[in-house]
């Protein structure tokens, strides 16, 4: 995490004057974040259209995460969890074998976790930071490249509210700079106190 602090300090000194007052607070929160919990509205965009999910996302800096889905109705109650070793999936609608276990981890799901964004941001050769408006609020925007040469997951941007200092939007772009995944965050809790059994799926 010290590398994140160092990179953000350099970029802060070169950033837009519109958001300079916000950068130290955003920098501090990002570098000190151990865990978080947030409501997340996810939109996956393909050539066939859009698919939307209402979720709750919990994650820690060790790479573990839990995603619980409440909508659409056919996905209600689904849980996807990565415990640091394996991906566990729980589907309450299945009569038998409600829990399945898979090896790690597909990129389209991993990249919506904010700790993945921070790691990519630090590793990006061409990082940028700027100011933008979102729903009439001023935000600081961080941009990163996504490693792996996946044409559908090429780069990403994170919007952080200058007023609340909360992440509010994450967008992942393909190699033609078209939006592929959009995550809208609400009720964001920094350094959320995670129970020991959070990363255990119970039927």
């Amino acid at each position: 995490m010290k590398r994140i602090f160092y990179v953000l300090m350099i970029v802060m000194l070169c950033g837009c004057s519109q958001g300079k007052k916000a950068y130290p607070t955003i920098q501090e929160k990002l570098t000190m974040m151990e865990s978080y919990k947030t409501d997340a509205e996810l939109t996956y965009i393909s050539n066939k259209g859009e698919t939307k999910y209402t979720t709750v996302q919990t994650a820690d800096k060790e790479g573990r995460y839990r995603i619980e889905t409440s909508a659409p109705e056919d996905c209600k109650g689904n849980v996807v969890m990565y415990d640091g070793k394996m991906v566990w999936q729980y589907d309450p609608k299945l009569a038998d074998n409600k829990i399945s276990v898979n090896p790690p981890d597909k990129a389209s799901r991993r990249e919506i976790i904010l700790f993945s964004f921070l790691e990519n941001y630090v590793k990006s050769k061409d990082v940028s930071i700027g100011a933008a408006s979102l729903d009439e609020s001023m935000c600081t925007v961080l941009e990163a490249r996504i490693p792996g040469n996946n044409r559908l997951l090429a780069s990403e941007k994170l919007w952080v509210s200058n007023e609340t200092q909360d992440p509010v939007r994450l967008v992942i772009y393909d190699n033609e700079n078209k939006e592929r995944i959009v995550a809208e965050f609400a009720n964001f809790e920094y350094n959320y106190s995670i129970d020991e059994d959070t990363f255990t799926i119970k039927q």
Side-chain angles (χ1 to χ4, degrees), residues 22-40:
Y23 296 165
T25 305
I26 290 171
Q27 165 196 311
E28 181 180 346
K29 284 198 171 184
L30 289 174
T31 57
M32 294 181 65
M33 188 164 67
E34 300 284 332
S35 61
Y36 69 86
K37 182 178 182 179
T38 185
D39 298 336

Side-chain angles (χ1 to χ4, degrees), residues 29 32-39 56-61 64 66 68 115 187-199:
K29 284 198 171 184
M32 294 181 65
M33 188 164 67
E34 300 284 332
S35 61
Y36 69 86
K37 182 178 182 179
T38 185
D39 298 336
V56 175
Q57 191 183 105
T58 307
D60 68 14
K61 70 173 185 179
R64 301 181 299 174
R66 180 186 181 100
E68 303 178 50
F115 288 107
N187 303 316
F188 195 92
E189 297 183 61
Y190 279 94
N191 293 336
Y192 177 76
S193 180
I194 297 177
D195 296 331
E196 286 297 320
D197 61 354
T198 296
F199 301 112

Side-chain angles (χ1 to χ4, degrees), residues 143-200:
E143 184 173 0
R145 303 295 299 178
I146 300 175
N149 297 317
N150 186 328
R151 66 180 184 84
L152 296 179
L153 306 171
S155 64
E156 55 190 341
K157 292 181 181 180
L158 177 66
W159 280 255
V160 183
S161 168
N162 288 351
E163 180 180 357
T164 65
Q165 308 306 315
D166 291 339
V168 292
R169 191 172 195 252
L170 176 70
V171 179
I172 296 176
Y173 302 87
D174 64 17
N175 59 0
E176 296 180 349
N177 205 35
K178 295 179 180 178
E179 293 184 355
R180 289 296 181 174
I181 304 173
V182 178
E184 304 280 355
F185 302 120
N187 303 316
F188 195 92
E189 297 183 61
Y190 279 94
N191 293 336
Y192 177 76
S193 180
I194 297 177
D195 296 331
E196 286 297 320
D197 61 354
T198 296
F199 301 112
T200 301

Side-chain angles (χ1 to χ4, degrees), residues 70-185:
S70 58
E73 186 63 30
D74 61 346
C75 296
K76 185 176 181 179
N78 285 9
V79 177
V80 178
M81 187 199 74
Y82 179 55
D83 63 5
K85 296 179 180 179
M86 303 294 288
V87 175
W88 300 75
Q89 297 184 337
Y90 171 70
D91 186 345
K93 295 185 297 300
L94 298 179
D96 300 306
N97 299 320
K98 292 184 178 182
I99 298 176
S100 61
V101 185
N102 302 285
D105 185 13
K106 62 181 183 180
S108 61
R109 182 168 54 235
R110 183 178 62 251
E111 294 303 332
I112 65 172
I113 304 300
L114 289 175
F115 288 107
S116 292
F117 172 85
L118 293 175
E119 181 179 354
N120 294 339
Y121 185 77
V122 169
K123 292 180 179 179
S124 293
K125 293 181 180 179
D126 300 318
V127 296
S128 67
I129 192 167
S133 60
L134 183 66
D135 295 331
E136 299 183 355
S137 298
M138 287 302 299
C139 294
T140 296
V141 184
L142 308 176
E143 184 173 0
R145 303 295 299 178
I146 300 175
N149 297 317
N150 186 328
R151 66 180 184 84
L152 296 179
L153 306 171
S155 64
E156 55 190 341
K157 292 181 181 180
L158 177 66
W159 280 255
V160 183
S161 168
N162 288 351
E163 180 180 357
T164 65
Q165 308 306 315
D166 291 339
V168 292
R169 191 172 195 252
L170 176 70
V171 179
I172 296 176
Y173 302 87
D174 64 17
N175 59 0
E176 296 180 349
N177 205 35
K178 295 179 180 178
E179 293 184 355
R180 289 296 181 174
I181 304 173
V182 178
E184 304 280 355
F185 302 120

